Amino acid sequence: MQFDVIISGAGIVGLATALKIKEKKPDWRIAVLEKEQHPAMHQSSRNSGVIHSGIYYRPGSLRAVNCKRGYDLLLNFCRTHQIPHEICGKIIVAVEPAERTALDNIYQRGIQNQLIGIKKISGAEAREIEPHVNAVEAVWVPQSGIVDYGAVARKYAELFEKMGGALFFQQKVQQVLEQKGGVVVEANNSFQARVFVNCSGLYSDYVALQTGIDPGIQILPFRGEFYDLTPEAHRLVKNLIYPVPNPNFPFLGVHFTRMIQGGIEAGPNAVLAFKREGYSRWDIHLRELAEILVFPGFRKIARKYWRDGWAEMQRSYSKQHFVKALQRLIPEIRSEDLTPGRSGVRAMACDAAGNLLDDFLILSKPGVINVCNAPSPAATASLAVGETVAARVLEQCN
C-alpha cells in the first residue's frame, strides 16, 4: 500500500501529528499504524488527566515551549468539539519549612515561563483553597485543569478519518527499509511512503533502531499506581494537590487529582516495570527486563536513586507506606479511605551515562522522523508537538 506519510503509533502524539499533517496537506495519503485494536491504549489513556500549565519545565526547552502553545490549542480543541474539561487550578505545597526554597524555585520557573496569575500563598491561604491540606506555604497555579486524554485522542482519530486519513490496527512495525524516494514499512502488511514518522511511545527506541538511527537512549518503563478515594473521602480534596517534587528524584511525587469523569485519584508512585507495558507488578517480560538490567544507564540510575527507588517500591507493595506518603499532604487520609485503582507506565528515556532526558527528543534523517522521547506534558502539548513534527515532514517533502 502506497502513502505519502506513515506514522507508527496511534497514541495522542501520533494522532495529533497525523491530524496536523492532514490539515496542512488534505490531498496527501496518510496512514497511522497501531499494534493494538484501538487508539490510545497505553500512555495516552493511562495518565492523571491533568492539563499542565508548564510551571515545571526548563524555560526555552521544547517541553516548555510546546506546553505553552499546546495548552492553548488543547483548550480550543476541547471547546470546539465539546470534550468535557475544566480549568480548576492546583496548589503545589511545601509541607515543611525545608521545602520552601524548592517551592520558590518552582514559582520562579513559572514566572520565567510566563504563566499568568500564579502566586505564592501562605499555608492559611492554601487551606482556603484546600481546607484539609497540610502546608506551610504553597504556589497557586490557576491554569491547571483536568480532561480525559483518551477521549481527546479518540476525537483526533475520528477527525483524521473524516478527513480521509487511514488507521490500520493490529499492525506492529517490524522493519523500516530505505528505498528510492522513501521507505518501506513492514508490519503485518507492507506499506510504502515518502516519509515515516515514529511515534511509538514505550517502543520508540526499538523503532528508531529499525529506521537506522541510534537514538543514544533506551526507554525505561516506570509504572505508576493509583488508589481511588472512597466517596466518603471525596470531601478531603476539592481539585488538584501536588507536593514539592523531590529534587533528587525525577518524578513529581504522589498527589491528589480530581478526575473529569468523577472521583478522585491518589498517586502515582514510580516503580520500575518488569515489562514495557507492565501494568501489574506481576507482569514480566524476561527479554525486556534483561535489556534494562544490562543497560549501563539503568545501572547508574539504580546506584544514584536506590534509596528513593526502594521507597517507591515499598509504596507499591505496602498500602501502609502509600498512605503515609499521602498523609504528608492530607493528614486525615486513612487506609480505609483508599481502594486500589488503575496504573500506567511512563516511558523514560535514559542515556548510557545514566541521565534521564528532561526534554522532547526528535531525530530525523531523509525519509524518517523519530519522536524518541515525549514525556509529560506530551498529552497537554500534543497538538503543538504535532505541529512541530508536521513541519519537519513538510520540510522533507519540499
Side-chain angles (χ1 to χ4, degrees), residues 175-196:
Q175 196 171 23
V176 182
L177 303 171
E178 294 183 46
Q179 69 169 17
K180 186 177 180 179
V183 294
V184 175
V185 181
E186 298 291 348
N188 293 31
N189 299 101
S190 183
F191 302 85
Q192 294 179 314
R194 289 194 284 166
V195 178
F196 172 73

PDB file of all heavy atoms in Angstrom, residues 175-196:
ATOM      1  N   GLN A 175       9.910  -3.687  10.597  1.00  0.00           N
ATOM      2  CA  GLN A 175      11.106  -3.293   9.864  1.00  0.00           C
ATOM      3  C   GLN A 175      10.806  -2.041   9.051  1.00  0.00           C
ATOM      4  O   GLN A 175       9.681  -1.858   8.552  1.00  0.00           O
ATOM      5  CB  GLN A 175      11.537  -4.438   8.920  1.00  0.00           C
ATOM      6  CG  GLN A 175      12.957  -4.322   8.403  1.00  0.00           C
ATOM      7  CD  GLN A 175      13.373  -5.591   7.654  1.00  0.00           C
ATOM      8  OE1 GLN A 175      12.529  -6.342   7.166  1.00  0.00           O
ATOM      9  NE2 GLN A 175      14.671  -5.821   7.561  1.00  0.00           N
ATOM     10  N   VAL A 176      11.809  -1.181   8.930  1.00  0.00           N
ATOM     11  CA  VAL A 176      11.699   0.026   8.113  1.00  0.00           C
ATOM     12  C   VAL A 176      12.903   0.042   7.180  1.00  0.00           C
ATOM     13  O   VAL A 176      14.049   0.113   7.639  1.00  0.00           O
ATOM     14  CB  VAL A 176      11.659   1.307   8.968  1.00  0.00           C
ATOM     15  CG1 VAL A 176      11.504   2.541   8.085  1.00  0.00           C
ATOM     16  CG2 VAL A 176      10.514   1.232   9.986  1.00  0.00           C
ATOM     17  N   LEU A 177      12.647  -0.023   5.900  1.00  0.00           N
ATOM     18  CA  LEU A 177      13.709  -0.141   4.911  1.00  0.00           C
ATOM     19  C   LEU A 177      13.723   1.084   4.006  1.00  0.00           C
ATOM     20  O   LEU A 177      12.665   1.553   3.552  1.00  0.00           O
ATOM     21  CB  LEU A 177      13.508  -1.402   4.058  1.00  0.00           C
ATOM     22  CG  LEU A 177      13.428  -2.734   4.834  1.00  0.00           C
ATOM     23  CD1 LEU A 177      13.004  -3.859   3.882  1.00  0.00           C
ATOM     24  CD2 LEU A 177      14.760  -3.045   5.492  1.00  0.00           C
ATOM     25  N   GLU A 178      14.926   1.598   3.748  1.00  0.00           N
ATOM     26  CA  GLU A 178      15.047   2.709   2.810  1.00  0.00           C
ATOM     27  C   GLU A 178      14.869   2.207   1.386  1.00  0.00           C
ATOM     28  O   GLU A 178      15.283   1.095   1.039  1.00  0.00           O
ATOM     29  CB  GLU A 178      16.428   3.359   2.946  1.00  0.00           C
ATOM     30  CG  GLU A 178      16.653   4.049   4.285  1.00  0.00           C
ATOM     31  CD  GLU A 178      18.009   4.739   4.337  1.00  0.00           C
ATOM     32  OE1 GLU A 178      18.348   5.419   3.355  1.00  0.00           O
ATOM     33  OE2 GLU A 178      18.713   4.577   5.345  1.00  0.00           O
ATOM     34  N   GLN A 179      14.232   3.023   0.582  1.00  0.00           N
ATOM     35  CA  GLN A 179      14.150   2.754  -0.850  1.00  0.00           C
ATOM     36  C   GLN A 179      14.206   4.090  -1.575  1.00  0.00           C
ATOM     37  O   GLN A 179      14.084   5.149  -0.958  1.00  0.00           O
ATOM     38  CB  GLN A 179      12.862   2.012  -1.205  1.00  0.00           C
ATOM     39  CG  GLN A 179      11.589   2.847  -1.037  1.00  0.00           C
ATOM     40  CD  GLN A 179      10.369   2.190  -1.647  1.00  0.00           C
ATOM     41  OE1 GLN A 179      10.378   0.999  -1.926  1.00  0.00           O
ATOM     42  NE2 GLN A 179       9.320   2.962  -1.868  1.00  0.00           N
ATOM     43  N   LYS A 180      14.401   4.047  -2.852  1.00  0.00           N
ATOM     44  CA  LYS A 180      14.481   5.282  -3.628  1.00  0.00           C
ATOM     45  C   LYS A 180      13.188   6.070  -3.476  1.00  0.00           C
ATOM     46  O   LYS A 180      12.105   5.567  -3.748  1.00  0.00           O
ATOM     47  CB  LYS A 180      14.746   4.968  -5.105  1.00  0.00           C
ATOM     48  CG  LYS A 180      14.976   6.213  -5.949  1.00  0.00           C
ATOM     49  CD  LYS A 180      15.315   5.854  -7.383  1.00  0.00           C
ATOM     50  CE  LYS A 180      15.552   7.111  -8.217  1.00  0.00           C
ATOM     51  NZ  LYS A 180      15.898   6.790  -9.624  1.00  0.00           N
ATOM     52  N   GLY A 181      13.327   7.295  -3.001  1.00  0.00           N
ATOM     53  CA  GLY A 181      12.166   8.168  -2.855  1.00  0.00           C
ATOM     54  C   GLY A 181      11.355   7.938  -1.603  1.00  0.00           C
ATOM     55  O   GLY A 181      10.274   8.508  -1.466  1.00  0.00           O
ATOM     56  N   GLY A 182      11.858   7.126  -0.659  1.00  0.00           N
ATOM     57  CA  GLY A 182      11.076   6.942   0.559  1.00  0.00           C
ATOM     58  C   GLY A 182      11.475   5.726   1.346  1.00  0.00           C
ATOM     59  O   GLY A 182      12.650   5.357   1.400  1.00  0.00           O
ATOM     60  N   VAL A 183      10.475   5.072   1.953  1.00  0.00           N
ATOM     61  CA  VAL A 183      10.722   3.925   2.827  1.00  0.00           C
ATOM     62  C   VAL A 183       9.661   2.854   2.597  1.00  0.00           C
ATOM     63  O   VAL A 183       8.559   3.130   2.115  1.00  0.00           O
ATOM     64  CB  VAL A 183      10.691   4.335   4.327  1.00  0.00           C
ATOM     65  CG1 VAL A 183      11.836   5.264   4.679  1.00  0.00           C
ATOM     66  CG2 VAL A 183       9.356   4.971   4.691  1.00  0.00           C
ATOM     67  N   VAL A 184      10.035   1.638   2.960  1.00  0.00           N
ATOM     68  CA  VAL A 184       9.096   0.517   3.037  1.00  0.00           C
ATOM     69  C   VAL A 184       8.945   0.155   4.506  1.00  0.00           C
ATOM     70  O   VAL A 184       9.946  -0.048   5.200  1.00  0.00           O
ATOM     71  CB  VAL A 184       9.582  -0.702   2.233  1.00  0.00           C
ATOM     72  CG1 VAL A 184       8.641  -1.885   2.447  1.00  0.00           C
ATOM     73  CG2 VAL A 184       9.693  -0.363   0.757  1.00  0.00           C
ATOM     74  N   VAL A 185       7.726   0.094   4.988  1.00  0.00           N
ATOM     75  CA  VAL A 185       7.443  -0.247   6.375  1.00  0.00           C
ATOM     76  C   VAL A 185       6.787  -1.619   6.402  1.00  0.00           C
ATOM     77  O   VAL A 185       5.693  -1.809   5.849  1.00  0.00           O
ATOM     78  CB  VAL A 185       6.517   0.798   7.038  1.00  0.00           C
ATOM     79  CG1 VAL A 185       6.253   0.432   8.492  1.00  0.00           C
ATOM     80  CG2 VAL A 185       7.106   2.192   6.932  1.00  0.00           C
ATOM     81  N   GLU A 186       7.463  -2.549   7.024  1.00  0.00           N
ATOM     82  CA  GLU A 186       6.931  -3.902   7.128  1.00  0.00           C
ATOM     83  C   GLU A 186       6.267  -4.075   8.485  1.00  0.00           C
ATOM     84  O   GLU A 186       6.909  -3.989   9.533  1.00  0.00           O
ATOM     85  CB  GLU A 186       8.044  -4.937   6.957  1.00  0.00           C
ATOM     86  CG  GLU A 186       8.733  -4.894   5.593  1.00  0.00           C
ATOM     87  CD  GLU A 186       7.831  -5.348   4.447  1.00  0.00           C
ATOM     88  OE1 GLU A 186       6.748  -5.913   4.725  1.00  0.00           O
ATOM     89  OE2 GLU A 186       8.199  -5.110   3.281  1.00  0.00           O
ATOM     90  N   ALA A 187       4.974  -4.302   8.473  1.00  0.00           N
ATOM     91  CA  ALA A 187       4.220  -4.640   9.674  1.00  0.00           C
ATOM     92  C   ALA A 187       3.517  -5.969   9.370  1.00  0.00           C
ATOM     93  O   ALA A 187       4.103  -6.832   8.731  1.00  0.00           O
ATOM     94  CB  ALA A 187       3.241  -3.520  10.013  1.00  0.00           C
ATOM     95  N   ASN A 188       2.282  -6.148   9.799  1.00  0.00           N
ATOM     96  CA  ASN A 188       1.536  -7.334   9.370  1.00  0.00           C
ATOM     97  C   ASN A 188       1.302  -7.289   7.872  1.00  0.00           C
ATOM     98  O   ASN A 188       1.134  -8.334   7.218  1.00  0.00           O
ATOM     99  CB  ASN A 188       0.206  -7.419  10.112  1.00  0.00           C
ATOM    100  CG  ASN A 188       0.404  -7.676  11.595  1.00  0.00           C
ATOM    101  OD1 ASN A 188       1.408  -7.254  12.158  1.00  0.00           O
ATOM    102  ND2 ASN A 188      -0.520  -8.368  12.223  1.00  0.00           N
ATOM    103  N   ASN A 189       1.266  -6.071   7.338  1.00  0.00           N
ATOM    104  CA  ASN A 189       1.223  -5.839   5.897  1.00  0.00           C
ATOM    105  C   ASN A 189       2.416  -4.979   5.515  1.00  0.00           C
ATOM    106  O   ASN A 189       3.121  -4.458   6.378  1.00  0.00           O
ATOM    107  CB  ASN A 189      -0.098  -5.160   5.495  1.00  0.00           C
ATOM    108  CG  ASN A 189      -1.321  -5.991   5.834  1.00  0.00           C
ATOM    109  OD1 ASN A 189      -1.988  -5.745   6.825  1.00  0.00           O
ATOM    110  ND2 ASN A 189      -1.625  -6.973   5.007  1.00  0.00           N
ATOM    111  N   SER A 190       2.601  -4.805   4.237  1.00  0.00           N
ATOM    112  CA  SER A 190       3.707  -3.986   3.739  1.00  0.00           C
ATOM    113  C   SER A 190       3.164  -2.637   3.272  1.00  0.00           C
ATOM    114  O   SER A 190       2.141  -2.581   2.563  1.00  0.00           O
ATOM    115  CB  SER A 190       4.415  -4.699   2.584  1.00  0.00           C
ATOM    116  OG  SER A 190       5.524  -3.947   2.155  1.00  0.00           O
ATOM    117  N   PHE A 191       3.850  -1.565   3.679  1.00  0.00           N
ATOM    118  CA  PHE A 191       3.424  -0.210   3.342  1.00  0.00           C
ATOM    119  C   PHE A 191       4.608   0.553   2.766  1.00  0.00           C
ATOM    120  O   PHE A 191       5.755   0.325   3.164  1.00  0.00           O
ATOM    121  CB  PHE A 191       2.910   0.526   4.585  1.00  0.00           C
ATOM    122  CG  PHE A 191       1.763  -0.133   5.280  1.00  0.00           C
ATOM    123  CD1 PHE A 191       1.979  -1.143   6.211  1.00  0.00           C
ATOM    124  CD2 PHE A 191       0.460   0.250   5.009  1.00  0.00           C
ATOM    125  CE1 PHE A 191       0.924  -1.753   6.870  1.00  0.00           C
ATOM    126  CE2 PHE A 191      -0.612  -0.362   5.661  1.00  0.00           C
ATOM    127  CZ  PHE A 191      -0.382  -1.358   6.590  1.00  0.00           C
ATOM    128  N   GLN A 192       4.323   1.477   1.870  1.00  0.00           N
ATOM    129  CA  GLN A 192       5.348   2.349   1.303  1.00  0.00           C
ATOM    130  C   GLN A 192       4.946   3.800   1.532  1.00  0.00           C
ATOM    131  O   GLN A 192       3.765   4.139   1.521  1.00  0.00           O
ATOM    132  CB  GLN A 192       5.515   2.094  -0.198  1.00  0.00           C
ATOM    133  CG  GLN A 192       6.062   0.714  -0.528  1.00  0.00           C
ATOM    134  CD  GLN A 192       6.187   0.503  -2.030  1.00  0.00           C
ATOM    135  OE1 GLN A 192       5.278   0.813  -2.794  1.00  0.00           O
ATOM    136  NE2 GLN A 192       7.332  -0.016  -2.451  1.00  0.00           N
ATOM    137  N   ALA A 193       5.962   4.641   1.745  1.00  0.00           N
ATOM    138  CA  ALA A 193       5.676   6.056   1.973  1.00  0.00           C
ATOM    139  C   ALA A 193       6.887   6.896   1.627  1.00  0.00           C
ATOM    140  O   ALA A 193       8.016   6.399   1.566  1.00  0.00           O
ATOM    141  CB  ALA A 193       5.273   6.293   3.419  1.00  0.00           C
ATOM    142  N   ARG A 194       6.638   8.189   1.431  1.00  0.00           N
ATOM    143  CA  ARG A 194       7.752   9.120   1.243  1.00  0.00           C
ATOM    144  C   ARG A 194       8.442   9.399   2.572  1.00  0.00           C
ATOM    145  O   ARG A 194       9.664   9.559   2.616  1.00  0.00           O
ATOM    146  CB  ARG A 194       7.246  10.429   0.637  1.00  0.00           C
ATOM    147  CG  ARG A 194       6.813  10.319  -0.829  1.00  0.00           C
ATOM    148  CD  ARG A 194       6.667  11.698  -1.439  1.00  0.00           C
ATOM    149  NE  ARG A 194       5.442  12.359  -1.000  1.00  0.00           N
ATOM    150  CZ  ARG A 194       5.190  13.660  -1.166  1.00  0.00           C
ATOM    151  NH1 ARG A 194       6.119  14.441  -1.712  1.00  0.00           N
ATOM    152  NH2 ARG A 194       4.049  14.176  -0.771  1.00  0.00           N
ATOM    153  N   VAL A 195       7.646   9.461   3.660  1.00  0.00           N
ATOM    154  CA  VAL A 195       8.202   9.750   4.986  1.00  0.00           C
ATOM    155  C   VAL A 195       7.560   8.826   6.014  1.00  0.00           C
ATOM    156  O   VAL A 195       6.342   8.596   5.990  1.00  0.00           O
ATOM    157  CB  VAL A 195       7.962  11.219   5.391  1.00  0.00           C
ATOM    158  CG1 VAL A 195       8.514  11.487   6.792  1.00  0.00           C
ATOM    159  CG2 VAL A 195       8.601  12.178   4.394  1.00  0.00           C
ATOM    160  N   PHE A 196       8.389   8.322   6.897  1.00  0.00           N
ATOM    161  CA  PHE A 196       7.923   7.510   8.026  1.00  0.00           C
ATOM    162  C   PHE A 196       8.157   8.288   9.311  1.00  0.00           C
ATOM    163  O   PHE A 196       9.247   8.828   9.530  1.00  0.00           O
ATOM    164  CB  PHE A 196       8.681   6.182   8.088  1.00  0.00           C
ATOM    165  CG  PHE A 196       8.405   5.372   9.328  1.00  0.00           C
ATOM    166  CD1 PHE A 196       7.206   4.715   9.491  1.00  0.00           C
ATOM    167  CD2 PHE A 196       9.358   5.296  10.341  1.00  0.00           C
ATOM    168  CE1 PHE A 196       6.944   3.972  10.638  1.00  0.00           C
ATOM    169  CE2 PHE A 196       9.114   4.551  11.493  1.00  0.00           C
ATOM    170  CZ  PHE A 196       7.896   3.887  11.639  1.00  0.00           C
TER     171      PHE A 196
END
